[in-house]
């Protein structure tokens, strides 16, 4: 369930008065910074509080700090000495000095990029307003005065490789807090431009597949910014995997509270009849195009495997997974498939918070509840309630929020038995040549002055690898070598024979068997846990159309009012449709009443 105020949830659920729903979208037509160097003596350096790399991380959330400045205590982020809130906190760059009594300050940064950039400009995001800013792209100077803004955009379509930022005026007795540098522009649209936003969020509790989340947008393109025939349009700066951030707002009292719905990445766009359409997906979809090669022969806790896999992302992993020991080898596959195998081996579900943080938890079996909930002892939808439970209340779908009379309930036949393959590995006693040939730098990734080249073994998997180059990273199916030119490479190691046996668990005496083929399963203990999870009695499904609650996430436990009672389900598919109003549909799985 997304974090919102209770007022937001109450307004979303309200049937007493019409809901005032708003929409907002950010489309980041930006590009990655790539490799760069920087020079500056203006910000606090050599301190764990200043993370220059955060300027290009795309995370725009700005924390507010309590700290003293010039004898004043404020909640606006000003500080005499920056406090330390942890390595993953958003600090950005903080100036060494304070501005003087008229707001004057001397703050300079020079960034030199390894590769030339061609975009439609530069966007700077600050934690506190700035008033005078100068941006130089190579030798082209752009000056902004009296802006009093936390966001500055410089439009410039020419190529550049050097970026210079100068801040000369802010509020008095303050520090410059630069949070983000975007190479490109952040486009923002609200209700005046948005025709529709459609969200599709889905999970597979049994991890037989790994669905991605989809966002479809239609906005007004009356200015023909995205028309392919417009020579000055913005379509030429659109690229796959650019960030799209949607928000849904609800009026709570006199204010509109907006909730970020997630982070999506652009896949395709079209324009016609003065309407621009965009389709974007969450990060799972993009893992389909990224290979996973970094596994080795051996064993690991599932916690450590997931922690290593998600190391490039902010994440949180259930500590219970440190008790599960699995094989550490996964044959080369997509990152999406590797993540699915890890989830399946631990009977896990995952969710991605709106900030992009990935959370993995061991799934907790649904405890069947088919009772009425309460609402402060009052009647809701004609039912008398005698208890109160806030979390359940927010996840309850009562008849007055359902667009049909009652949900459609379907009974399914649970699996009766499950066969799980248990994998083992035998290492050869002798070392032999796994590859002999040329490592070529053509089309290779350039990192830290060297080319990173992947070389698959002629026979895999293998272990105890030796290579005749000075810098390499060896894995079970191949290795990365780091070279400056085409190089003759010889790789030796010990081949590994892969074996498997079947492990059967039967729960019912009828024919409806499932199978799990997961290379991470190495023991009967893990196999038994996986099989037991697959045989969970989620024998009923619910489908319904309803008014739409933006704060719900797949994986949430919901309580749905049916003809006879309120039945609990795990939410497995959730769609929201915004077109000035809000509606949705949902699917869930649950247990039949015993």
């Amino acid at each position: 369930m997304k974090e919102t105020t209770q007022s937001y949830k109450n307004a979303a659920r309200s049937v007493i008065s019409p809901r005032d729903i708003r929409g907002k979208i950010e489309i980041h037509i930006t590009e990655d910074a790539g490799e760069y160097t920087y020079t500056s003596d203006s910000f606090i350096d050599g301190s764990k509080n200043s993370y220059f790399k955060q300027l290009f991380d795309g995370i725009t959330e700005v924390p507010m700090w309590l700290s003293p400045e010039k004898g004043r205590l404020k909640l606006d982020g000003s500080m005499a000495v920056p406090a330390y809130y942890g390595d993953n906190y958003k600090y950005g760059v903080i100036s060494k000095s304070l501005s003087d009594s008229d707001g004057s300050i001397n703050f300079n940064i020079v960034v030199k990029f390894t590769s030339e950039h061609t975009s439609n400009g530069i966007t700077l995001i600050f934690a506190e307003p700035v008033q005078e800013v100068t941006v130089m792209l190579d030798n082209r100077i752009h000056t902004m005065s009296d802006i009093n803004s936390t966001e500055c955009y410089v439009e410039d379509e020419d190529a550049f490789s050097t970026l210079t930022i100068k801040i000369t005026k802010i509020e008095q007795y303050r520090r410059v807090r630069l949070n983000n540098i975007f190479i490109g522009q952040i486009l923002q649209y609200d209700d005046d431009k948005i025709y529709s936003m459609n969200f599709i969020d889905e999970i597979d509790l049994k991890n037989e597949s790994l669905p991605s989340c989809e966002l479809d947008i239609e906005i007004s393109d009356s200015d023909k910014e995205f028309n392919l025939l417009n020579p000055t349009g913005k379509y030429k700066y659109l690229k796959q995997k650019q960030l799209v951030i949607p928000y849904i707002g609800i009026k709570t009292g006199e204010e509109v509270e907006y909730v970020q719905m997630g982070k999506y990445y652009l896949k395709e766009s079209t324009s016609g009849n003065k309407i621009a359409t965009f389709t974007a997906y969450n990060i799972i979809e993009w893992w389909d195009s990224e290979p996973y090669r970094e596994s080795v022969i051996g064993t690991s806790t599932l916690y450590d495997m997931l922690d290593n896999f998600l190391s490039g992302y902010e994440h949180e992993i259930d500590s219970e997974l440190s008790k599960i020991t699995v094989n550490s080898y996964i044959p080369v596959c997509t990152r999406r498939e590797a993540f699915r195998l890890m989830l399946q081996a631990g009977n896990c579900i995952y969710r991605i918070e709106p900030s992009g943080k990935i959370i993995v938890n061991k799934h907790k079996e649904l405890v069947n509840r088919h009772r009425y909930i309460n609402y402060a002892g009052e009647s809701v939808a004609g039912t008398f309630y005698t208890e109160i439970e806030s979390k359940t209340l927010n996840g309850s779908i009562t008849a007055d929020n359902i667009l049909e009379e009652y949900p459609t309930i379907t009974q399914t036949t649970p699996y009766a038995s499950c066969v799980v393959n248990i994998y083992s590995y035998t290492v050869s006693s002798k070392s032999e040549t796994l590859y002999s040939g040329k490592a070529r730098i053509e089309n290779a990734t350039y990192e830290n002055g060297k080319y990173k080249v992947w070389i698959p073994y002629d026979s895999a998997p293998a272990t105890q690898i030796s290579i005749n180059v000075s810098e390499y990273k060896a894995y079970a199916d191949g290795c990365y070598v780091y070279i400056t030119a085409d190089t003759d490479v010889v790789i030796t190691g010990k081949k590994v024979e892969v074996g498997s046996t079947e492990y059967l668990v039967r729960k019912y005496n009828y024919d409806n068997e499932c199978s799990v083929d997961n290379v991470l399963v190495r023991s009967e203990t893990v196999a038994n846990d996986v099989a037991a999870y697959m045989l969970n009695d989620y024998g009923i499904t619910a489908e319904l159309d309803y008014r739409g609650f933006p704060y719900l996430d797949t994986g949430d436990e919901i309580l749905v009012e049916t003809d006879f009672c309120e039945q609990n389900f795990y939410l497995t598919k959730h769609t929201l449709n915004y077109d000035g109003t809000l509606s949705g549909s949902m699917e869930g799985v649950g247990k039949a009443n015993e």
Side-chain angles (χ1 to χ4, degrees):
M1 195 173 289
K2 295 180 180 67
E3 288 190 12
T4 70
T5 66
Q6 188 60 46
S7 296
Y8 185 97
K9 294 181 175 72
N10 291 344
R13 301 174 55 80
S14 175
V15 294
I16 298 173
S17 58
R19 300 184 301 177
D20 190 346
I21 309 291
R22 310 288 176 88
K24 189 167 62 174
I25 301 169
E26 291 180 7
I27 301 176
H28 293 223
I29 53 172
T30 59
E31 58 185 64
D32 290 338
E35 292 190 355
Y36 59 84
T37 59
Y38 68 90
T39 56
S40 176
D41 61 359
S42 299
F43 62 87
I44 302 172
D45 203 2
S47 165
K48 55 191 174 184
N49 302 303
S50 287
Y51 290 78
F52 192 90
K53 64 182 181 181
Q54 289 185 341
L55 296 182
F56 296 101
D57 66 7
I59 299 174
T60 56
E61 291 84 356
V62 179
M64 305 303 283
W65 294 324
L66 175 65
S67 54
E69 192 81 275
K70 283 288 184 179
R72 297 177 296 170
L73 194 65
K74 288 182 174 280
L75 291 170
D76 58 7
S78 60
M79 63 207 71
V81 178
Y84 177 59
Y85 292 91
D87 289 338
N88 294 324
Y89 213 69
K90 180 73 176 187
Y91 298 97
V93 163
I94 306 163
S95 64
K96 286 181 179 179
S97 60
L98 297 170
S99 59
D100 60 21
S101 59
D102 66 356
S104 297
I105 195 168
N106 185 20
F107 180 88
N108 299 280
I109 290 177
V110 178
V111 185
K112 293 187 177 181
F113 300 98
T114 301
S115 301
E116 194 172 62
H117 287 286
T118 302
S119 68
N120 61 329
I122 289 288
T123 301
L124 308 178
I125 306 293
F126 298 89
E128 296 187 57
V130 294
Q131 296 177 8
E132 291 184 3
V133 180
T134 297
V135 173
M136 292 177 57
L137 300 175
D138 289 343
N139 295 319
R140 303 185 300 277
I141 301 174
H142 304 268
T143 300
M144 293 164 280
S145 300
D146 298 323
I147 56 175
N148 196 35
S149 176
T150 57
E151 182 173 326
C152 304
Y153 168 63
V154 171
E155 185 172 7
D156 190 320
E157 298 188 355
D158 292 333
F160 66 92
S161 57
T162 300
L163 166 65
T164 303
I165 301 170
K166 296 182 179 181
I167 314 297
T168 53
K169 192 169 185 180
I170 58 176
E171 295 181 7
Q172 63 177 2
Y173 307 129
R174 318 297 286 178
R175 296 179 191 270
V176 174
R177 287 178 55 195
L178 177 60
N179 269 51
N180 291 90
I181 300 174
F182 290 99
I183 301 174
Q185 183 180 10
I186 300 175
L187 303 178
Q188 298 177 332
Y189 301 96
D190 55 22
D191 291 301
D192 293 338
K193 287 279 191 177
I194 299 171
Y195 288 139
S196 66
M197 293 190 292
N198 298 314
F199 303 83
I200 304 174
D201 189 3
E202 187 173 5
I203 61 170
D204 180 352
L205 286 182
K206 295 185 183 296
N207 294 309
E208 293 175 291
S209 64
L210 188 64
S212 56
C213 301
E214 181 178 344
L215 169 65
D216 296 298
I217 302 168
E218 287 188 348
I219 62 172
S220 170
D221 193 25
S222 56
D223 297 331
K224 301 183 180 179
E225 286 184 318
F226 298 102
N227 191 297
L228 296 178
L229 301 179
N230 182 355
T232 61
K234 298 186 184 300
Y235 72 90
K236 57 188 174 185
Y237 300 111
L238 290 176
K239 298 177 182 178
Q240 285 197 342
K241 213 175 176 181
Q242 287 175 327
L243 182 63
V244 180
I245 303 179
Y247 301 82
I248 291 182
I250 301 179
K251 194 168 185 180
T252 58
E254 297 300 317
E255 302 292 332
V256 176
E257 180 182 343
Y258 284 93
V259 169
Q260 182 177 323
M261 299 299 293
K263 285 188 173 181
Y264 298 80
Y265 300 89
L266 184 64
K267 189 158 191 178
E268 57 188 41
S269 64
T270 60
S271 179
N273 297 321
K274 297 183 180 181
I275 297 175
T277 63
F278 303 89
T279 300
Y281 295 87
N282 71 352
I283 194 63
I284 300 298
E285 180 78 10
W286 296 97
W287 285 353
D288 253 347
S289 58
E290 299 178 16
Y292 179 72
R293 299 163 170 162
E294 297 82 10
S295 64
V296 296
I297 299 298
T299 61
S300 170
T301 68
L302 193 55
Y303 182 98
D304 288 342
M305 280 200 78
L306 282 161
D307 189 48
N308 182 65
F309 181 87
L310 297 172
S311 60
Y313 304 86
E314 186 181 2
H315 62 274
E316 180 182 312
I317 302 169
D318 193 331
S319 61
E320 286 295 307
L321 300 181
S322 63
K323 301 175 183 178
I324 301 175
T325 301
V326 295
N327 291 318
S328 57
Y329 171 60
I330 298 176
V332 171
C333 59
T334 66
R335 288 185 64 83
R336 185 176 190 165
E337 173 62 8
F339 189 50
R340 185 194 70 81
L341 291 170
M342 295 178 201
L343 295 176
Q344 187 181 59
N347 304 329
C348 299
I349 61 172
Y350 83 98
R351 64 185 175 91
I352 302 179
E353 291 188 340
S355 65
K357 182 179 181 180
I358 300 173
I359 297 177
V360 178
N361 284 309
K362 193 169 177 61
H363 178 65
K364 294 177 176 59
E365 186 175 352
L366 191 69
V367 177
N368 195 21
R369 290 189 294 117
H370 45 279
R371 61 179 177 79
Y372 292 110
I373 65 167
N374 58 52
Y375 183 52
E378 298 179 1
S379 175
V380 175
T383 304
F384 183 73
Y385 301 92
T386 58
E387 303 172 356
I388 186 162
E389 186 181 348
S390 175
K391 185 175 180 180
T392 305
L393 173 64
N394 291 325
S396 67
I397 315 297
T398 51
D400 45 9
N401 275 303
I402 298 174
L403 299 182
E404 299 173 354
E405 183 178 1
Y406 287 110
T408 300
I409 306 295
T410 306
Q411 186 167 11
T412 59
T413 303
Y415 290 131
S417 59
C418 181
V419 174
V420 181
N421 287 334
I422 300 175
Y423 280 84
S424 60
Y425 303 96
T426 304
V427 180
S428 172
S429 60
K430 63 177 182 178
S431 184
E432 53 190 285
T433 300
L434 303 175
Y435 176 85
S436 180
K438 187 81 74 175
R440 303 187 183 278
I441 64 174
E442 184 179 7
N443 299 323
T445 303
Y446 190 73
E447 290 184 1
N448 300 318
K450 291 187 177 181
Y451 292 93
K452 179 182 178 182
V453 180
W454 172 256
I455 301 177
Y457 306 144
D458 294 332
S459 181
T463 188
Q464 300 180 33
I465 306 300
S466 178
I467 308 176
N468 67 328
V469 297
S470 60
E471 187 177 354
Y472 65 89
K473 291 181 180 178
Y475 301 102
D477 285 340
C479 66
Y480 286 108
V481 295
Y482 297 84
I483 54 180
T484 57
D486 291 353
T487 303
D488 290 319
V489 173
V490 177
I491 304 173
T492 59
K494 293 183 178 181
K495 294 180 181 179
V496 176
E497 181 180 345
V498 180
S500 66
T501 58
E502 291 187 347
Y503 182 85
L504 172 66
V505 175
R506 178 171 292 281
K507 189 172 184 179
Y508 300 112
N509 291 318
Y510 56 81
D511 292 330
N512 187 21
E513 187 172 273
C514 66
S515 62
V516 174
D517 186 27
N518 189 319
V519 293
L520 297 179
V521 177
R522 66 176 301 273
S523 66
E524 288 189 0
T525 300
V526 174
N528 189 70
D529 287 347
V530 170
Y533 180 73
M534 295 295 290
L535 297 175
N536 276 340
D537 291 331
Y538 292 145
I540 58 173
T541 63
E543 298 181 24
L544 61 95
D545 295 324
Y546 81 123
R547 297 173 68 232
F549 300 161
Y551 56 82
L552 289 180
D553 285 323
T554 50
D556 287 344
E557 183 180 351
I558 57 174
L559 202 59
V560 178
E561 185 169 352
T562 69
D563 305 56
F564 300 102
C565 64
E566 288 189 324
Q567 176 73 44
N568 63 326
F569 296 87
Y570 273 130
L571 182 57
T572 56
K573 186 174 183 179
H574 189 213
T575 68
L576 287 173
N577 307 298
Y578 170 80
D579 58 3
T581 62
L582 188 64
S583 61
S585 64
M586 54 173 57
E587 298 176 14
V589 297
K591 294 185 176 184
N593 294 345
E594 298 172 351

